[in-house]
Amino acid sequence: MLEKRKSEHLHINLEQDVSFPDLTTGLEDYIFVHNALPELALADVDLATTFLGKRLRVPLLISSMTGGTPEAQRINYHLAEGAQVAGMAMGLGSLRAALETPGLRSTASLAVRSTASLAVADTFRIRHLAPDILLFANLGAAQLNAGFSLDECRRAVELVEADALILHLNPLQEALLVDGNTDWRGC
Ligand SMILES: Cc1cc2nc3c(=O)[nH]c(=O)nc-3n(C[C@H](O)[C@H](O)[C@H](O)COP(=O)(O)O)c2cc1C
């Protein structure tokens, strides 16, 4: 079920017009004024910054998107290669798909990983392609109301050798999904 949903999300975004017809980012209201006498050398312009203790060459994050299907693995690999070259941070899609696969839910069962669980987890594993980037694992905060605890949060980070965890807060999306997690009490 999760694999089907992840694949659908990718195809909807790749094949359908998902942009808002009227709503914009508002960025069209801003125009950069050309500075004709900048008094600097372009080579001296340094966009580097430090975020969560990690150096980024550019203050950009590839937001959390995907994992859990073979297609998603290819996308994560390409994004990781790009992030490594550009020196930007990257988020992986929700690791729920990997954690809910038999054999990966708790630390104790690490040794008995089946090929199926390895395959799902591998669609999120990109460290071999991007050893230096700031990498975020990802889980839905709603999962904390559906049986996930600190152990699963740690597992998500360990599974992909991430530096940090993003907990996504998406009650509207969950409310619109057929089998969404709609219990946000005490989250
Ligand atoms: C195909 C797809 C899958 C996504 N999956 C996740 C996810 O698993 N976890 C998450 O926190 N955000 C997820 N997002 C949301 C993005 O991280 C981002 O917040 C959202 O796309 C809005 O940013 P944008 O307008 O720049 O695309 C997903 C977005 C897309 C397009």
Side-chain angles (χ1 to χ4, degrees):
M1 181 60 188
L2 265 182
E3 187 174 339
K4 182 169 169 290
R5 190 203 289 173
K6 289 291 158 189
S7 177
E8 277 171 3
H9 280 182
L10 286 178
H11 284 279
I12 289 168
N13 282 279
L14 289 171
E15 293 150 14
Q16 300 180 23
D17 179 4
V18 291
S19 56
F20 291 94
D22 306 317
L23 197 62
T24 71
T25 61
L27 289 173
E28 69 277 6
D29 296 338
Y30 297 87
I31 296 171
F32 288 114
V33 178
H34 175 237
N35 181 345
L37 274 177
E39 291 299 321
L40 60 80
L42 192 56
D44 297 340
V45 175
D46 180 5
L47 299 176
T49 186
T50 299
F51 185 47
L52 298 181
K54 254 201 164 159
R55 200 86 188 131
L56 306 180
R57 271 214 304 283
V58 286
L60 296 175
L61 162 71
I62 298 173
S63 196
S64 308
M65 278 188 283
T66 196
T69 76
E71 237 168 350
Q73 181 176 36
R74 201 161 52 80
I75 292 172
N76 277 337
Y77 277 17
H78 290 166
L79 292 174
E81 288 161 352
Q84 176 70 20
V85 170
M88 61 175 76
M90 175 181 170
L92 292 160
S94 171
L95 276 124
R96 179 182 164 195
L99 293 183
E100 287 194 342
T101 308
L104 270 182
R105 181 69 188 261
S106 69
T107 43
S109 58
L110 257 189
V112 292
R113 282 180 283 181
S114 69
T115 46
S117 58
L118 270 178
V120 171
D122 289 341
T123 66
F124 293 92
R125 289 203 171 103
I126 55 94
R127 259 306 178 210
H128 59 296
L129 299 166
D132 311 312
I133 67 167
L134 172 61
L135 181 64
F136 292 88
N138 184 287
L139 283 175
Q143 294 315 122
L144 302 175
N145 263 358
F148 278 23
S149 67
L150 197 51
D151 190 38
E152 279 78 21
C153 293
R154 282 206 183 98
R155 286 283 327 116
V157 171
E158 285 164 10
L159 202 62
V160 292
E161 300 168 60
D163 304 291
L165 175 69
I166 289 176
L167 282 177
H168 66 255
L169 307 172
N170 64 333
L172 175 57
Q173 185 188 30
E174 296 295 333
L176 297 173
L177 285 168
V178 176
D179 57 346
N181 289 91
T182 52
D183 181 358
W184 289 80
R185 289 167 298 182
C187 246

